[in-house]
Amino acid sequence: MSFGDKTVEYRSVDELKTAIEIIKRDLFEQATATGLWPGAPRQIRITTGKGF
């Protein structure tokens, strides 16, 4: 695609899908290496009282 003196070349859908999968894999590997994955279990604690 050209506009004036600027030219842009777009990647194919398959190339973009491959790049996304590589990034996802690398992020997952980093998260497991640093202890961010699996995340800490979420806990919700509810305390109630009668107000006395």
Side-chain angles (χ1 to χ4, degrees):
M1 176 179 219
S2 296
F3 183 77
D5 61 343
K6 310 269 185 201
T7 302
V8 177
E9 182 179 335
Y10 294 100
R11 301 290 179 188
S12 70
V13 173
D14 290 332
E15 287 177 314
L16 293 174
K17 286 180 180 179
T18 302
I20 289 170
E21 289 303 317
I22 291 169
I23 291 169
K24 283 182 179 180
R25 185 184 64 233
D26 289 350
L27 288 174
F28 180 75
E29 288 173 1
Q30 288 177 9
T32 55
T34 59
L36 294 175
W37 183 265
R42 293 186 178 189
Q43 295 181 359
I44 299 174
R45 298 178 187 223
I46 300 172
T47 306
T48 61
K50 294 184 179 181
F52 296 116

